[in-house]
Amino acid sequence: RVHVVAGVQTGALPLAFAPVAGEKDSWIIGIRVPARTPAGHYLIGVAVEDSATHALVRASLAIQVGVRRGLELSLVNRPTYAVSGNAYRASFLLQNRGNVSTTVTIRGTSALGGSIALDTTRITLAPGASLSVAARVTTRTKNEQAQDDVLELYAADLADNTNAAQSSARVTIVQEANMTEPLHRVATQVRLRAANASAGVSPYEVS
């Protein structure tokens, strides 16, 4: 009989055999450790039992599952466009692809210098766990032409700076309807000429 920890899988067991006195028998046991098995030291017990389930011989196999880290960040939803000065919302999915609990810091940047508010900036994820992260961005542009704002989101493992992930969202920023830039003012002088319409010149002179 083979006793295993949760998640670890073995071949078809138990095996039944009837050895005679002095006979030897070899077992080959295949063991598969799933990718998401938490890192740690595991013992797999093997016991030989008689027909009354009394253990005659016991042995164990030690398995060391190493630490594996991995983060994945993907875009879930974002608007096609947003009005200048109004906040838009984009959502991302952060996943822990490793086999150890990971504390992650999250930050964002805006290509147009918009103000970013994240619903969380630090989170601890168990192995295989995931979390939705939302960002609200307010971007204000000064000209009438539409511009693309690129929101970049970064996630980094506090324990290992090589374990990081990023994703982005592109949103077009447009001006609010009937809103234009203020008119420019230029100093000028206006002079009046003493001339009538038949003189063929304008009665006004602007400089």
Side-chain angles (χ1 to χ4, degrees), residues 25-91:
D25 188 74
S26 298
W27 289 4
I28 298 178
I29 302 174
I31 299 174
R32 186 179 71 86
V33 180
R36 294 186 180 180
T37 300
H41 185 77
Y42 297 92
L43 287 177
I44 297 178
V46 180
V48 177
E49 300 175 346
D50 59 18
S51 57
T53 68
H54 297 141
L56 304 177
V57 180
R58 296 181 184 273
S60 61
L61 173 65
I63 294 180
Q64 182 67 40
V65 178
V67 173
R68 182 175 53 82
R69 297 182 180 275
L71 292 174
E72 182 177 320
L73 185 63
S74 56
L75 175 65
V76 176
N77 189 32
R78 55 94 181 172
T80 304
Y81 70 92
V83 176
S84 176
N86 293 345
Y88 68 84
R89 185 179 186 275
S91 58

Side-chain angles (χ1 to χ4, degrees), residues 116-187:
I116 302 174
L118 300 174
D119 58 0
T120 183
T121 58
R122 180 169 174 166
I123 186 69
T124 298
L125 292 177
S130 61
L131 174 74
S132 178
V133 180
R136 288 178 56 85
V137 185
T138 303
T139 303
R140 187 177 299 277
T141 57
K142 295 183 179 180
N143 53 39
E144 297 181 20
Q145 293 183 343
Q147 300 183 59
D148 284 342
D149 186 24
V150 179
L151 169 63
E152 294 273 1
L153 210 65
Y154 302 89
D157 184 349
L158 278 178
D160 183 358
N161 56 15
T162 64
N163 182 28
Q166 70 179 80
S167 185
S168 63
R170 183 181 297 272
V171 178
T172 301
I173 307 299
V174 300
Q175 285 290 349
E176 187 176 354
N178 300 322
M179 293 292 293
T180 60
E181 290 184 328
L183 297 177
H184 295 286
R185 297 183 180 183
V186 180

